[in-house]
């Protein structure tokens, strides 16, 4: 089905004729290589080299211009100097060309005149209805025999297959194709998108998502150009077929300059990572893992749970596999007593019938066959890793065939690891032909299983409706309007806005003098907390601006005099907040920072002054559904701290969930809110009142 995003892409990937503008006779030139690849790949339509200074290119008559080509042209590949691209693009538009692949560099990536040139290229393409890949790219490939279009300068012709790949980097695109061929990954289509003047990764995912011949989609991303559109498109496609990505740029030094804890933690890579997770993309760290995962997903079903079994003939690799699986969040399946009893009948006494199941070094094909026949019947296993270290006295090929025979009908993933060289290559070939992925080391198999399991969990997840709360939007608007000259709202104003949306705060009073603090403490009730506030005082703990556990008027007076006297020199506008001590036993952080590219990023984590040190925070891109906040708190490394332990009752996480969803409703209603944080939000036990004790809110002016 054609959509706005995919309309016209057939002109690029399924052309009936191709012009190469800038085709050259010079050995080693890009223009010559593109023509050579089209010919060598068996392109099924006419190829038109365009070179005003050549009569023939690679034995094909050349034309002086696109205009001079007698027939129609579906696709034009531009390999001309950058200052010539606009003239040629206009000529292509008038010729009726459907798509352009602009290999030429010298556009946005060089700044200045390049940016202007790229905008003009976009305008030309829009005016003539042409789709554009590039500029500054490596080209495109479609291995479908009906088209056989290799319109790239890649030196590696990819094998035909069912994987579609996109690379934002032309240079890496060459390496990706070469590595894919070496890994045995067959390619259906490939595109190097370069500067993405028109066609983006989201467009290609949508296009390939509707192509029945494409089974897995691979992405190399440096940036996510249109995050919200990417999220919408890819989330839909990932329901139908796996999408795997390598995303570069994990460091984000710029986030350290952010004013709130949320802003400093929710950096660019955190945003990109959560975006990929939310739309079902499986992010891997390198191309080796990408190809291994793609191969596994092509031939094996994803595990329906976390319980894994390991069958091995060597204790060391079995332990390595076990350690890797557990470290990656999977579980070792329990071997039930009936299964253990059946294994004891077919294994020698020194073998281990507990997971990992160790058949010991003398295990031959018959022993593997007998053991796997038993293990295959165990319902409590969601995935299986079979390890084989090939000793000289064992027929490795026969073992491989036994593995194939006994796992052929399993409706759960089977991954193998063949270590050692004694007929190991032959064993590997037997396994791979049968659709069992083979790994060199157990850790790699574990990584692949973890990502396969993640895909199944994502597919199983059903979004929940986001509740709509009754709030006082008018009251919040009045407060924001009253402080429209401030970037960071005063503490009292920030609290008032949040309270208007139903987020509760501990009772407090604000005063200017030490004596008034004592009066306020008696009104809110002891014990109290005393906090200094000032326009530029954002991080109170750094200035020792908070005093807790004050139980008498004398203690409040002494603390107030100390705070005012010590801070007034640096903060002349210092005032005091007297706040009733909040009952509760867990502190969490709730926050939002509005990223200019990704939109609202919501954070939930363990709160308090240690938040930046612990960095135990989970981030999601909005909008959050009703299930998201629960999953965010459950995903914390310290999630167990929110449960009951050592006699303390569990914290009321539902209160934090409701507060985060209310905060989202506030952010949706007021787009000028750029950053908001409630930290700490003190959770009481279920049935008691959880309250916020501090907040900050920033608006764009």
């Amino acid at each position: 089905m054609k959509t706005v995003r995919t309309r016209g892409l057939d002109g690029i990937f399924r052309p009936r004729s191709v012009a190469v503008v800038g085709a050259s006779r010079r050995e080693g030139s890009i223009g010559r290589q593109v023509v050579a690849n089209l010919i060598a790949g068996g392109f099924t339509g006419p190829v038109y080299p365009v070179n005003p200074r050549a009569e023939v290119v690679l034995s094909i008559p050349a034309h002086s211009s696109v205009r001079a080509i007698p027939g129609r042209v579906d696709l034009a590949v531009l390999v001309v100097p950058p200052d010539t691209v606009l003239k040629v693009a206009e000529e292509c538009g008038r010729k009726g060309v459907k798509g352009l692949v602009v290999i030429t560099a010298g556009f946005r990536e060089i700044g200045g005149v390049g940016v202007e040139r790229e905008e003009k290229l976009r305008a030309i393409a829009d005016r003539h209805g042409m789709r554009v890949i590039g500029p500054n790219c490596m080209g495109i490939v479609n291995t479908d025999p009906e088209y056989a279009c290799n319109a790239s300068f890649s030196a590696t012709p990819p094998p035909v297959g069912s994987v579609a790949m996109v690379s934002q980097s032309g240079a890496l695109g060459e390496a990706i194709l070469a590595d894919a061929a070496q890994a045995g990954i067959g390619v259906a289509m490939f595109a190097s998108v370069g500067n993405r003047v028109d066609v983006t990764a989201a467009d290609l995912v949508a296009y390939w998502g509707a192509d029945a011949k494409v089974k897995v989609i691979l992405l190399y991303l440096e940036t996510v150009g249109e995050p919200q559109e990417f999220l919408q498109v890819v989330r839909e496609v990932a329901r139908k077929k796996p999408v795997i990505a390598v995303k570069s740029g994990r460091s984000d030094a710029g986030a350290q300059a952010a004013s709130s804890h949320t802003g400093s933690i929710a950096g660019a890579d955190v945003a990109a990572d959560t975006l990929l997770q939310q739309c079902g993309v499986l992010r891997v760290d390198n191309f080796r893992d990408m190809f291994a995962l793609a191969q596994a997903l092509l031939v094996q079903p994803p595990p329906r749970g976390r319980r894994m079994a390991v069958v091995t003939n060597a204790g060391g690799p079995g332990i390595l596999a076990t350690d890797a699986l557990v470290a990656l969040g999977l579980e070792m399946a329990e071997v039930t007593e009936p299964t253990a009893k059946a294994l004891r009948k077919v294994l020698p006494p020194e073998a281990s019938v507990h997971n990992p199941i160790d058949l010991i070094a003398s295990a031959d094909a018959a022993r593997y066959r007998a053991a796997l026949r038993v293990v295959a019947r165990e319902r409590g296993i969601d995935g299986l890793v079979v390890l084989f270290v090939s000793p000289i006295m064992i027929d490795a090929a026969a073992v491989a065939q036994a593995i194939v025979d006994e796992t052929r009908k399993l409706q759960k993933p089977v991954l193998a690891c063949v270590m050692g060289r004694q007929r190991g290559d032959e064993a590997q070939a037997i396994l791979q032909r049968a659709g069992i992925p083979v790994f060199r080391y157990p850790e790699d198999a574990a990584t692949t299983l973890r990502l396969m399991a993640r895909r199944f969990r994502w597919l199983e997840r059903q979004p929940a409706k986001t509740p709509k709360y009754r709030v006082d939007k008018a009251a919040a608007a009045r407060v924001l309007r009253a402080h429209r000259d401030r970037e960071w709202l005063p503490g009292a104003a920030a609290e008032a806005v949040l309270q208007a949306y139903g987020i509760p705060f501990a009772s407090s009073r604000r005063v200017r003098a030490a004596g008034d603090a004592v009066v306020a403490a008696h009104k809110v009730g002891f014990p109290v907390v005393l906090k200094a506030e000032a326009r530029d005082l954002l991080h109170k703990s750094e200035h020792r601006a908070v005093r807790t556990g004050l139980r008498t008027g004398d203690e409040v007076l002494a603390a107030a005099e100390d705070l005012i006297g010590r801070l007034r020199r640096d903060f002349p506008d210092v005032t005091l907040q007297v706040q009733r001590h909040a009952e509760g036993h867990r502190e969490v952080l709730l926050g939002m920072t509005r990223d200019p590219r990704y939109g609202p990023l919501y954070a939930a984590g363990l709160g308090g002054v240690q938040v930046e040190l612990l960095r135990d925070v989970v981030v999601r891109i909005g909008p959050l559904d009703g299930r998201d906040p629960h999953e965010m708190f459950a995903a914390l490394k310290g999630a167990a701290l929110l449960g009951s332990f050592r006699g303390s009752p569990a914290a009321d996480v539902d209160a934090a969930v409701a507060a985060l969803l209310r905060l989202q409703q506030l952010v949706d209603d007021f787009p000028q809110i750029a950053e908001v944080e409630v930290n700490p939000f003190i959770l009481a036990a279920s049935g008691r009142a959880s309250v916020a004790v501090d907040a900050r809110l920033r608006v764009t002016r």
Side-chain angles (χ1 to χ4, degrees):
M1 186 179 80
K2 295 290 189 297
T3 67
V4 173
R5 307 199 73 94
T6 63
R7 188 177 298 123
L9 290 182
D10 281 349
I12 292 176
F13 289 97
R14 293 177 167 89
R16 293 301 182 184
S17 55
V18 179
V20 181
V21 188
S24 173
R25 293 178 296 184
R26 181 168 53 84
E27 189 75 34
S29 66
I30 291 177
R32 186 181 193 278
Q33 186 67 44
V34 174
V35 176
N37 282 351
L38 284 164
I39 297 169
F43 180 62
T44 55
V47 176
Y48 300 113
V50 177
N51 186 335
R53 292 184 295 276
E55 293 185 2
V56 175
V57 175
L58 289 176
S59 301
I60 303 176
H63 301 269
S64 60
S65 67
V66 174
R67 270 193 328 272
I69 297 172
R72 81 174 194 183
V73 176
D74 286 344
L75 172 66
V77 182
L78 276 52
V79 195
V80 296
D83 54 3
T84 311
V85 166
L86 299 180
K87 176 176 177 288
V88 174
E90 180 66 37
E91 189 178 339
C92 288
R94 292 178 180 176
K95 176 71 175 175
V97 172
K98 297 177 181 177
L100 299 179
V101 171
V102 184
I103 290 176
T104 305
F107 288 80
R108 187 177 70 235
E109 77 278 5
I110 66 170
V113 66
V115 175
E116 182 181 352
R117 187 181 290 140
E118 190 164 310
E119 289 303 317
K120 289 180 178 178
L121 175 62
R122 178 183 286 109
I124 291 170
D126 288 346
R127 187 163 61 250
H128 293 287
M130 293 184 293
R131 299 304 305 266
V132 183
I133 295 277
N136 186 26
C137 72
M138 193 184 98
I140 65 98
V141 177
N142 182 0
T143 64
D144 184 344
E146 187 178 348
Y147 302 95
C149 182
N150 185 349
S152 76
F153 59 88
S154 169
T156 306
V160 179
S162 54
V163 170
M165 307 165 64
V166 59
S167 172
Q168 282 186 5
S169 165
L172 268 177
E174 171 69 33
I176 290 170
L177 285 177
D179 289 350
Q182 188 174 2
I185 296 288
V187 174
M189 295 188 213
F190 168 84
S192 161
V193 292
N195 291 10
R196 296 165 296 166
V197 70
D198 171 34
V199 178
T200 66
D203 295 335
L204 294 172
V205 171
Y207 185 64
W208 294 332
D211 191 322
K213 292 182 179 179
V214 174
K215 306 300 183 186
V216 176
I217 298 172
L218 308 183
L219 310 175
Y220 168 68
L221 303 173
E222 292 172 352
T223 60
V224 180
E226 301 168 317
Q228 289 297 330
E229 292 185 20
F230 183 93
L231 179 65
Q232 182 179 357
V233 170
V234 180
R235 181 158 47 192
E236 181 179 344
V237 172
R239 290 275 169 196
K240 298 183 288 186
K241 53 191 71 176
V243 182
I244 308 169
V246 171
K247 166 69 174 68
S248 62
R250 286 192 177 274
S251 62
D252 182 45
Q256 299 306 314
S259 299
S260 74
H261 300 105
T262 303
S264 67
I265 290 169
D269 188 64
V270 171
D273 195 54
T274 192
L275 173 74
L276 295 175
Q277 286 190 41
Q278 283 179 246
C279 59
V281 174
L282 301 169
R283 185 180 185 180
V284 294
D285 292 329
N286 52 64
F287 294 114
R288 183 191 67 197
D289 289 347
M290 171 186 275
F291 296 138
L293 179 58
Q295 191 73 274
L297 288 169
L298 282 170
V299 295
Q300 292 286 329
R304 302 179 68 85
R306 299 173 182 268
R307 303 165 299 178
M308 303 299 154
V310 174
V311 176
T312 180
N313 67 338
I319 294 170
L320 286 174
T322 299
D323 288 346
L325 290 166
V326 172
L328 292 170
L330 300 174
E331 302 169 4
M332 296 301 288
E334 181 182 352
V335 176
T336 61
E337 184 52 37
T339 297
K341 184 177 180 180
L343 284 171
R344 291 189 191 100
K345 290 181 179 179
V346 298
L347 297 180
E350 57 269 31
S352 172
V353 298
H354 300 290
N355 199 7
I357 300 163
D358 188 354
L359 312 185
I360 69 172
S362 59
D364 57 7
R367 191 179 300 170
Y368 266 93
R369 190 179 297 277
L372 289 171
R373 189 168 295 170
V374 172
V375 172
R377 295 197 298 264
E378 176 59 73
R379 294 184 178 180
I381 293 174
D382 298 311
L384 181 61
V385 179
V386 184
L387 310 178
F388 176 63
V389 180
S390 54
I392 193 169
M393 70 285 192
I394 302 297
D395 187 341
V399 169
Q401 191 59 53
I403 296 171
V404 170
D405 293 343
E406 297 304 325
T407 62
R408 196 188 305 275
K409 296 182 180 180
L410 276 182
Q411 297 300 309
K412 57 190 71 173
V414 179
L415 278 59
C417 181
V418 178
M419 307 173 73
R421 307 306 303 171
Q422 183 65 24
R423 297 190 70 189
D425 291 343
E426 186 179 351
Q428 180 170 329
I430 291 170
L431 292 164
Q432 288 176 329
R433 280 197 301 270
I436 297 177
V438 181
F439 297 84
R440 187 78 180 91
Y441 298 105
E443 298 90 339
D444 295 334
T447 297
T448 297
L449 266 178
R450 173 182 68 106
L451 290 165
M452 293 174 74
R454 177 182 292 176
R455 172 161 174 75
F456 180 78
R457 291 197 302 274
W458 184 82
L459 289 171
E460 287 287 288
R461 183 191 189 275
Q462 295 299 320
K465 185 178 178 180
T466 305
K468 194 74 172 176
Y469 296 99
R470 294 185 64 181
V471 299
D472 193 344
K473 183 178 179 180
R478 285 194 298 271
V479 176
L480 290 169
R481 193 164 49 247
H483 296 278
R484 57 182 174 270
D485 61 327
R486 297 279 295 266
E487 181 182 14
W488 286 95
L489 265 63
E495 289 180 19
V497 169
L498 290 162
Q499 284 177 316
Y501 272 70
I503 297 175
F505 278 77
S507 175
S508 69
R509 298 282 192 280
R510 284 174 167 83
V511 299
R512 294 185 175 276
D516 293 337
V518 177
V519 175
H522 282 283
K523 288 183 178 180
V524 301
F526 290 99
V528 299
V529 176
L530 200 61
K531 305 175 188 177
E533 295 184 332
R535 186 182 188 113
D536 298 320
L537 182 58
L538 293 178
H539 296 295
K540 297 181 178 65
S541 59
E542 294 179 5
H543 296 275
R544 295 182 292 117
V546 179
R547 299 291 294 274
T548 62
L550 305 176
R551 298 184 173 278
T552 66
D554 289 342
E555 289 180 359
V556 170
L557 182 64
E561 290 175 341
D562 173 68
L563 289 174
I564 293 172
R566 184 163 45 81
L567 296 173
R568 180 161 284 165
R569 183 179 61 183
D570 296 326
F571 305 99
D573 60 335
V574 65
T575 58
L576 298 175
Q577 179 186 18
V578 183
Q579 189 173 64
R580 183 178 176 84
H581 177 78
E583 294 184 6
H585 55 301
R586 309 286 194 280
E587 295 184 354
V588 296
L589 170 146
L590 312 171
M592 185 284 305
T593 183
R594 199 181 294 274
D595 187 275
R597 294 179 59 250
Y598 292 91
L601 305 180
Y602 292 94
L606 298 183
V609 296
Q610 297 90 5
V611 60
E612 286 183 6
L613 177 65
L614 298 175
R615 300 184 73 84
D616 192 4
V617 174
V618 173
V619 175
R620 293 275 172 98
I621 294 174
L624 304 178
D625 67 29
R627 198 183 304 276
D628 278 315
H630 289 282
E631 293 175 348
M632 292 166 76
F633 283 108
L636 293 172
K637 301 183 191 74
L641 296 175
L642 301 177
S644 58
F645 66 94
R646 294 195 174 184
S648 297
D652 186 5
V653 176
D654 286 345
V657 166
L660 186 57
L661 291 172
R662 287 177 177 275
L663 188 148
Q664 174 177 244
Q665 191 168 329
L666 169 68
V667 170
D668 288 344
D669 286 346
F670 297 98
Q672 68 266 42
I673 297 177
E675 212 168 336
V676 58
E677 181 176 277
V678 177
N679 180 39
F681 188 80
I682 298 182
L683 297 181
S686 180
R688 306 191 68 177
S690 298
V691 293
V693 296
D694 199 7
R696 53 185 76 151
L697 190 153
R698 181 171 67 88
V699 296
T700 52
R701 290 188 285 176

